[in-house]
Amino acid sequence: EALAVFLAGRMAKEPFRWTLVMGEPAWRWLAGRAPDLTPGVRLAVAGGQAQAILVPGLAEMLAAPHLKALAWQAIRALVGARG
């Protein structure tokens, strides 16, 4: 809930369309116990005005380099997008 409140406050100050949420601990902090939290999942944040894109954390990607591909796939749609 604290992360959701922070994102809502940030949206009010400086609007955004996407944010990356890196690593499962951050995913859980944002979404609680939602059952399908995996890389690439998008969650509505800031009152539905933006999307949080779940990607593996940096430490996870360093330990398991194949996870970098999941991160790139998750953000591929942002290439060329504005906002």
Side-chain angles (χ1 to χ4, degrees):
E1 185 176 319
L3 182 55
V5 170
F6 170 79
L7 292 172
R10 178 55 101 178
M11 176 62 78
K13 184 176 179 180
E14 187 173 334
F16 60 94
R17 292 176 52 192
W18 307 278
T19 188
L20 294 182
V21 181
M22 299 184 74
E24 190 170 343
W27 305 349
R28 299 269 173 228
W29 202 37
L30 179 66
R33 299 191 181 273
D36 57 347
L37 297 180
T38 58
V41 167
R42 293 177 179 217
L43 303 171
V45 295
Q49 297 177 43
Q51 292 184 351
I53 303 169
L54 308 184
V55 296
L58 294 176
E60 295 167 307
M61 289 189 278
L62 286 171
H66 71 278
L67 293 176
K68 290 185 229 177
L70 296 176
W72 281 113
Q73 289 172 356
I75 63 173
R76 178 178 281 158
L78 301 180
V79 173
R82 301 254 177 211

